[in-house]
Amino acid sequence: MIASLPMYLRPENRDAHDAWWARIRDALRVRGIDAPDALSQDAPIHATWGRADLVLGQICNLPYRSAFKDRVTLIAHADFGLPGTAPGDYHSCLIARADDPRATPQAFDGATMAINAADSHSGWGAPWMHMQVHGYAPARCVTTGAHRDSAHAVAEGRADFAAIDAVTWAMLTRWDGVTQALRVIGRTASSPGLAYITAGDVDPAPYRAALAEALNALPPAARAILGIRAITPADPARHTALPIPPAPPN
């Protein structure tokens, strides 16, 4: 069996993740759910989503609705208290270089966009939806593999703009100097945030209760590092109602 919570993992918050998992693990076991002693944080993310022995993981809502909705159970979202965003939802910050004179996302029509992955809602799905409403599109996309790497690609001039998960953007602002070379030029609409999942079709209630109980038991310093304010229920229908974007232009 395996548990992995890798989506917002950084060296600065790894200890806090481990402390939270220790409490989640114990809360799951009290509820009769077997759980591994430690997180497998370095396991390949896509591979964990398809494992029949996944006890707890995280998934972006684009791969969930496009490939995994019939294979996993949505449990809950974390509420990070993002401004102008409902609890448990998130949005993407549209960013460009600080010295780029283009002031709006629409001004980047025909530009080069950095994306973390083609199956990322925050990196591609949400901005694609924004583009449909506001009438612009990139001429090509550079795939970087991670939101942090997309930010660096823009800062270094390998791309003109990118969409960065707002939670990741907050962490970059806190812990990574790259944001000093960048600025926010807009934001996408809100949508369901990264979801906690487990394998198969099961009752999510005891898992959700374990997450909430563990969060409440977490020392304030660790909770502040994670930035999680609460655990909110997940509604699969909100995920599956979103469109599947086309492949990004190469």
Short mmCIF file of all heavy atoms in Angstrom, two decimals, residues 32-79:
data_model
loop_
_atom_site.label_atom_id
_atom_site.label_comp_id
_atom_site.label_asym_id
_atom_site.label_seq_id
_atom_site.Cartn_x
_atom_site.Cartn_y
_atom_site.Cartn_z
N GLY A 32 -10.25 1.95 11.21
CA GLY A 32 -10.18 0.64 10.60
C GLY A 32 -9.62 0.62 9.19
O GLY A 32 -9.76 -0.37 8.47
N ILE A 33 -8.94 1.69 8.80
CA ILE A 33 -8.34 1.79 7.47
C ILE A 33 -6.83 1.63 7.60
O ILE A 33 -6.17 2.44 8.26
CB ILE A 33 -8.67 3.15 6.81
CG1 ILE A 33 -10.19 3.31 6.68
CG2 ILE A 33 -8.00 3.26 5.44
CD1 ILE A 33 -10.62 4.71 6.29
N ASP A 34 -6.29 0.59 7.01
CA ASP A 34 -4.86 0.36 7.08
C ASP A 34 -4.12 1.45 6.32
O ASP A 34 -4.56 1.90 5.25
CB ASP A 34 -4.52 -1.01 6.49
CG ASP A 34 -3.17 -1.52 6.96
OD1 ASP A 34 -2.57 -0.88 7.85
OD2 ASP A 34 -2.71 -2.54 6.42
N ALA A 35 -3.01 1.91 6.85
CA ALA A 35 -2.26 3.00 6.24
C ALA A 35 -0.77 2.77 6.46
O ALA A 35 -0.36 2.27 7.51
CB ALA A 35 -2.68 4.33 6.84
N PRO A 36 0.07 3.13 5.48
CA PRO A 36 1.51 2.93 5.62
C PRO A 36 2.10 3.84 6.68
O PRO A 36 1.55 4.90 7.00
CB PRO A 36 2.05 3.26 4.23
CG PRO A 36 1.03 4.18 3.64
CD PRO A 36 -0.29 3.73 4.19
N ASP A 37 3.24 3.44 7.20
CA ASP A 37 3.89 4.23 8.24
C ASP A 37 4.32 5.60 7.73
O ASP A 37 4.23 6.60 8.45
CB ASP A 37 5.12 3.49 8.79
CG ASP A 37 4.74 2.27 9.61
OD1 ASP A 37 3.62 2.25 10.16
OD2 ASP A 37 5.55 1.33 9.68
N ALA A 38 4.82 5.66 6.49
CA ALA A 38 5.38 6.91 5.97
C ALA A 38 4.85 7.18 4.56
O ALA A 38 4.39 6.27 3.86
CB ALA A 38 6.91 6.83 5.94
N LEU A 39 4.92 8.44 4.17
CA LEU A 39 4.55 8.84 2.82
C LEU A 39 5.61 8.40 1.81
O LEU A 39 6.80 8.40 2.11
CB LEU A 39 4.41 10.36 2.74
CG LEU A 39 3.23 10.98 3.48
CD1 LEU A 39 3.40 12.49 3.56
CD2 LEU A 39 1.91 10.62 2.80
N SER A 40 5.16 8.05 0.61
CA SER A 40 6.08 7.77 -0.51
C SER A 40 6.10 9.01 -1.39
O SER A 40 5.52 9.05 -2.48
CB SER A 40 5.59 6.54 -1.29
OG SER A 40 5.57 5.40 -0.48
N GLN A 41 6.79 10.04 -0.91
CA GLN A 41 6.71 11.34 -1.58
C GLN A 41 7.46 11.38 -2.91
O GLN A 41 7.21 12.29 -3.72
CB GLN A 41 7.26 12.44 -0.65
CG GLN A 41 6.41 12.69 0.59
CD GLN A 41 5.08 13.35 0.29
OE1 GLN A 41 4.29 12.84 -0.50
NE2 GLN A 41 4.82 14.49 0.92
N ASP A 42 8.36 10.46 -3.12
CA ASP A 42 9.13 10.47 -4.36
C ASP A 42 8.60 9.49 -5.40
O ASP A 42 9.21 9.30 -6.45
CB ASP A 42 10.61 10.17 -4.06
CG ASP A 42 11.23 11.21 -3.12
OD1 ASP A 42 10.92 12.41 -3.30
OD2 ASP A 42 11.98 10.84 -2.21
N ALA A 43 7.47 8.86 -5.12
CA ALA A 43 6.87 7.94 -6.09
C ALA A 43 6.35 8.72 -7.29
O ALA A 43 5.88 9.86 -7.14
CB ALA A 43 5.73 7.17 -5.44
N PRO A 44 6.43 8.18 -8.51
CA PRO A 44 5.89 8.87 -9.69
C PRO A 44 4.41 9.18 -9.51
O PRO A 44 3.61 8.29 -9.21
CB PRO A 44 6.13 7.85 -10.81
CG PRO A 44 7.23 6.98 -10.33
CD PRO A 44 7.04 6.89 -8.84
N ILE A 45 4.04 10.44 -9.69
CA ILE A 45 2.69 10.88 -9.36
C ILE A 45 1.64 10.14 -10.18
O ILE A 45 0.66 9.61 -9.65
CB ILE A 45 2.56 12.40 -9.56
CG1 ILE A 45 3.46 13.14 -8.58
CG2 ILE A 45 1.11 12.84 -9.36
CD1 ILE A 45 3.50 14.63 -8.80
N HIS A 46 1.83 10.10 -11.50
CA HIS A 46 0.82 9.46 -12.35
C HIS A 46 0.65 7.99 -12.02
O HIS A 46 -0.46 7.45 -12.08
CB HIS A 46 1.19 9.62 -13.83
CG HIS A 46 1.00 11.02 -14.35
ND1 HIS A 46 1.83 12.05 -14.00
CD2 HIS A 46 0.07 11.55 -15.19
CE1 HIS A 46 1.42 13.16 -14.58
NE2 HIS A 46 0.36 12.89 -15.31
N ALA A 47 1.74 7.34 -11.64
CA ALA A 47 1.67 5.91 -11.32
C ALA A 47 0.86 5.68 -10.05
O ALA A 47 0.14 4.68 -9.94
CB ALA A 47 3.08 5.34 -11.17
N THR A 48 0.96 6.57 -9.08
CA THR A 48 0.23 6.36 -7.83
C THR A 48 -1.27 6.44 -8.06
O THR A 48 -2.04 5.73 -7.40
CB THR A 48 0.63 7.38 -6.75
OG1 THR A 48 0.27 8.70 -7.16
CG2 THR A 48 2.13 7.33 -6.49
N TRP A 49 -1.73 7.29 -8.97
CA TRP A 49 -3.17 7.45 -9.20
C TRP A 49 -3.82 6.14 -9.64
O TRP A 49 -4.98 5.90 -9.33
CB TRP A 49 -3.43 8.51 -10.25
CG TRP A 49 -3.00 9.89 -9.85
CD1 TRP A 49 -2.84 10.37 -8.57
CD2 TRP A 49 -2.67 10.97 -10.71
NE1 TRP A 49 -2.42 11.68 -8.59
CE2 TRP A 49 -2.31 12.08 -9.90
CE3 TRP A 49 -2.63 11.12 -12.10
CZ2 TRP A 49 -1.92 13.32 -10.44
CZ3 TRP A 49 -2.26 12.34 -12.63
CH2 TRP A 49 -1.91 13.42 -11.81
N GLY A 50 -3.09 5.30 -10.35
CA GLY A 50 -3.67 4.08 -10.87
C GLY A 50 -3.48 2.87 -9.99
O GLY A 50 -3.92 1.77 -10.36
N ARG A 51 -2.85 3.03 -8.84
CA ARG A 51 -2.56 1.88 -8.00
C ARG A 51 -3.78 1.46 -7.19
O ARG A 51 -4.46 2.29 -6.58
CB ARG A 51 -1.39 2.19 -7.06
CG ARG A 51 -0.07 2.22 -7.79
CD ARG A 51 1.11 2.45 -6.87
NE ARG A 51 1.21 1.50 -5.78
CZ ARG A 51 2.35 1.23 -5.15
NH1 ARG A 51 3.48 1.82 -5.54
NH2 ARG A 51 2.36 0.37 -4.15
N ALA A 52 -4.02 0.15 -7.18
CA ALA A 52 -5.15 -0.38 -6.43
C ALA A 52 -4.93 -0.30 -4.93
O ALA A 52 -5.89 -0.44 -4.15
CB ALA A 52 -5.40 -1.83 -6.84
N ASP A 53 -3.69 -0.09 -4.49
CA ASP A 53 -3.39 -0.04 -3.07
C ASP A 53 -3.12 1.40 -2.60
O ASP A 53 -2.50 1.62 -1.56
CB ASP A 53 -2.21 -0.93 -2.72
CG ASP A 53 -0.92 -0.53 -3.43
OD1 ASP A 53 -0.98 0.30 -4.38
OD2 ASP A 53 0.15 -1.04 -3.05
N LEU A 54 -3.60 2.38 -3.36
CA LEU A 54 -3.43 3.78 -2.95
C LEU A 54 -4.37 4.08 -1.78
O LEU A 54 -5.60 4.05 -1.92
CB LEU A 54 -3.73 4.72 -4.12
CG LEU A 54 -3.68 6.22 -3.79
CD1 LEU A 54 -2.25 6.63 -3.42
CD2 LEU A 54 -4.19 7.05 -4.97
N VAL A 55 -3.79 4.38 -0.64
CA VAL A 55 -4.58 4.72 0.55
C VAL A 55 -4.98 6.19 0.51
O VAL A 55 -6.12 6.55 0.78
CB VAL A 55 -3.79 4.41 1.83
CG1 VAL A 55 -4.57 4.86 3.07
CG2 VAL A 55 -3.47 2.93 1.91
N LEU A 56 -4.03 7.04 0.19
CA LEU A 56 -4.32 8.47 0.11
C LEU A 56 -3.35 9.11 -0.87
O LEU A 56 -2.14 8.89 -0.82
CB LEU A 56 -4.18 9.13 1.48
CG LEU A 56 -4.68 10.58 1.56
CD1 LEU A 56 -6.21 10.63 1.42
CD2 LEU A 56 -4.26 11.24 2.87
N GLY A 57 -3.89 9.91 -1.77
CA GLY A 57 -3.08 10.63 -2.74
C GLY A 57 -3.72 11.96 -3.07
O GLY A 57 -4.75 12.34 -2.50
N GLN A 58 -3.12 12.68 -4.00
CA GLN A 58 -3.64 13.95 -4.49
C GLN A 58 -3.71 13.91 -6.00
O GLN A 58 -2.80 13.38 -6.66
CB GLN A 58 -2.73 15.11 -4.09
CG GLN A 58 -2.76 15.49 -2.63
CD GLN A 58 -1.72 16.54 -2.33
OE1 GLN A 58 -0.53 16.28 -2.43
NE2 GLN A 58 -2.17 17.73 -1.97
N ILE A 59 -4.78 14.48 -6.57
CA ILE A 59 -4.90 14.51 -8.01
C ILE A 59 -5.43 15.87 -8.46
O ILE A 59 -6.24 16.49 -7.78
CB ILE A 59 -5.83 13.37 -8.51
CG1 ILE A 59 -5.68 13.15 -10.01
CG2 ILE A 59 -7.29 13.65 -8.14
CD1 ILE A 59 -6.33 11.86 -10.51
N CYS A 60 -4.94 16.32 -9.58
CA CYS A 60 -5.43 17.53 -10.24
C CYS A 60 -6.76 17.20 -10.92
O CYS A 60 -6.98 16.07 -11.36
CB CYS A 60 -4.39 17.98 -11.26
SG CYS A 60 -4.89 19.33 -12.34
N ASN A 61 -7.65 18.20 -11.03
CA ASN A 61 -8.98 17.85 -11.53
C ASN A 61 -9.03 17.55 -13.02
O ASN A 61 -9.98 16.93 -13.48
CB ASN A 61 -10.03 18.88 -11.10
CG ASN A 61 -9.83 20.26 -11.68
OD1 ASN A 61 -9.61 20.43 -12.87
ND2 ASN A 61 -9.93 21.27 -10.82
N LEU A 62 -8.01 17.93 -13.80
CA LEU A 62 -8.02 17.55 -15.22
C LEU A 62 -7.73 16.06 -15.42
O LEU A 62 -8.51 15.37 -16.09
CB LEU A 62 -7.05 18.43 -16.02
CG LEU A 62 -6.92 18.11 -17.51
CD1 LEU A 62 -8.26 18.02 -18.21
CD2 LEU A 62 -6.02 19.16 -18.19
N PRO A 63 -6.66 15.50 -14.86
CA PRO A 63 -6.49 14.05 -15.01
C PRO A 63 -7.59 13.25 -14.33
O PRO A 63 -7.94 12.16 -14.79
CB PRO A 63 -5.11 13.77 -14.39
CG PRO A 63 -4.79 14.96 -13.59
CD PRO A 63 -5.48 16.13 -14.24
N TYR A 64 -8.16 13.80 -13.26
CA TYR A 64 -9.28 13.09 -12.64
C TYR A 64 -10.42 12.94 -13.63
O TYR A 64 -10.92 11.83 -13.86
CB TYR A 64 -9.76 13.82 -11.38
CG TYR A 64 -11.08 13.27 -10.88
CD1 TYR A 64 -11.13 12.05 -10.20
CD2 TYR A 64 -12.29 13.93 -11.13
CE1 TYR A 64 -12.34 11.52 -9.77
CE2 TYR A 64 -13.49 13.41 -10.71
CZ TYR A 64 -13.52 12.20 -10.04
OH TYR A 64 -14.72 11.68 -9.63
N ARG A 65 -10.86 14.04 -14.22
CA ARG A 65 -12.05 13.97 -15.07
C ARG A 65 -11.77 13.33 -16.43
O ARG A 65 -12.67 12.78 -17.04
CB ARG A 65 -12.67 15.36 -15.26
CG ARG A 65 -11.85 16.37 -16.03
CD ARG A 65 -12.58 17.72 -16.04
NE ARG A 65 -11.94 18.75 -16.83
CZ ARG A 65 -11.08 19.65 -16.38
NH1 ARG A 65 -10.74 19.62 -15.10
NH2 ARG A 65 -10.56 20.56 -17.19
N SER A 66 -10.52 13.37 -16.87
CA SER A 66 -10.20 12.82 -18.18
C SER A 66 -9.81 11.34 -18.14
O SER A 66 -9.98 10.63 -19.14
CB SER A 66 -9.06 13.61 -18.84
OG SER A 66 -7.86 13.50 -18.08
N ALA A 67 -9.32 10.84 -17.00
CA ALA A 67 -8.79 9.48 -17.00
C ALA A 67 -9.05 8.66 -15.74
O ALA A 67 -9.03 7.43 -15.81
CB ALA A 67 -7.27 9.54 -17.25
N PHE A 68 -9.29 9.28 -14.60
CA PHE A 68 -9.31 8.51 -13.35
C PHE A 68 -10.63 8.57 -12.59
O PHE A 68 -10.73 7.97 -11.51
CB PHE A 68 -8.17 8.99 -12.43
CG PHE A 68 -6.81 8.59 -12.91
CD1 PHE A 68 -6.07 9.43 -13.74
CD2 PHE A 68 -6.27 7.36 -12.58
CE1 PHE A 68 -4.82 9.06 -14.20
CE2 PHE A 68 -5.02 6.98 -13.04
CZ PHE A 68 -4.29 7.82 -13.85
N LYS A 69 -11.64 9.23 -13.12
CA LYS A 69 -12.88 9.42 -12.36
C LYS A 69 -13.57 8.10 -12.00
O LYS A 69 -14.32 8.04 -11.01
CB LYS A 69 -13.84 10.33 -13.12
CG LYS A 69 -14.32 9.81 -14.46
CD LYS A 69 -15.25 10.82 -15.12
CE LYS A 69 -15.81 10.33 -16.45
NZ LYS A 69 -14.74 10.15 -17.45
N ASP A 70 -13.33 7.05 -12.79
CA ASP A 70 -13.95 5.76 -12.50
C ASP A 70 -13.02 4.81 -11.75
O ASP A 70 -13.39 3.65 -11.50
CB ASP A 70 -14.39 5.09 -13.81
CG ASP A 70 -15.44 5.90 -14.55
OD1 ASP A 70 -16.31 6.49 -13.88
OD2 ASP A 70 -15.39 5.97 -15.80
N ARG A 71 -11.86 5.31 -11.35
CA ARG A 71 -10.89 4.44 -10.71
C ARG A 71 -10.55 4.84 -9.28
O ARG A 71 -9.93 4.07 -8.55
CB ARG A 71 -9.60 4.41 -11.55
CG ARG A 71 -9.83 3.93 -12.97
CD ARG A 71 -8.60 4.09 -13.84
NE ARG A 71 -7.50 3.26 -13.37
CZ ARG A 71 -6.28 3.28 -13.93
NH1 ARG A 71 -6.03 4.10 -14.95
NH2 ARG A 71 -5.34 2.51 -13.45
N VAL A 72 -10.92 6.06 -8.90
CA VAL A 72 -10.59 6.55 -7.56
C VAL A 72 -11.82 7.22 -6.94
O VAL A 72 -12.78 7.56 -7.64
CB VAL A 72 -9.42 7.57 -7.58
CG1 VAL A 72 -8.17 6.92 -8.17
CG2 VAL A 72 -9.80 8.83 -8.36
N THR A 73 -11.78 7.41 -5.64
CA THR A 73 -12.81 8.13 -4.91
C THR A 73 -12.28 9.50 -4.49
O THR A 73 -11.21 9.57 -3.86
CB THR A 73 -13.24 7.35 -3.65
OG1 THR A 73 -13.88 6.13 -4.04
CG2 THR A 73 -14.21 8.17 -2.80
N LEU A 74 -13.00 10.54 -4.85
CA LEU A 74 -12.65 11.87 -4.37
C LEU A 74 -13.05 11.98 -2.90
O LEU A 74 -14.16 11.61 -2.52
CB LEU A 74 -13.40 12.95 -5.17
CG LEU A 74 -12.94 13.26 -6.59
CD1 LEU A 74 -13.77 14.41 -7.14
CD2 LEU A 74 -11.47 13.62 -6.63
N ILE A 75 -12.14 12.51 -2.10
CA ILE A 75 -12.39 12.59 -0.67
C ILE A 75 -12.69 14.03 -0.24
O ILE A 75 -13.72 14.31 0.38
CB ILE A 75 -11.18 12.07 0.12
CG1 ILE A 75 -10.94 10.59 -0.18
CG2 ILE A 75 -11.36 12.30 1.61
CD1 ILE A 75 -9.60 10.09 0.31
N ALA A 76 -11.77 14.92 -0.53
CA ALA A 76 -11.88 16.28 0.01
C ALA A 76 -10.89 17.19 -0.70
O ALA A 76 -10.04 16.74 -1.49
CB ALA A 76 -11.59 16.27 1.52
N HIS A 77 -11.01 18.48 -0.39
CA HIS A 77 -10.05 19.49 -0.81
C HIS A 77 -9.48 20.15 0.44
O HIS A 77 -10.13 20.19 1.50
CB HIS A 77 -10.72 20.57 -1.66
CG HIS A 77 -11.39 20.05 -2.88
ND1 HIS A 77 -10.69 19.61 -3.99
CD2 HIS A 77 -12.70 19.91 -3.19
CE1 HIS A 77 -11.55 19.22 -4.91
NE2 HIS A 77 -12.77 19.38 -4.46
N ALA A 78 -8.31 20.73 0.31
CA ALA A 78 -7.76 21.59 1.35
C ALA A 78 -8.16 23.03 1.04
O ALA A 78 -8.13 23.45 -0.12
CB ALA A 78 -6.24 21.47 1.40
N ASP A 79 -8.54 23.75 2.07
CA ASP A 79 -8.84 25.17 1.91
C ASP A 79 -7.61 25.97 2.32
O ASP A 79 -7.18 25.94 3.47
CB ASP A 79 -10.04 25.56 2.79
CG ASP A 79 -10.29 27.06 2.77
OD1 ASP A 79 -9.91 27.71 1.77
OD2 ASP A 79 -10.85 27.58 3.74
#
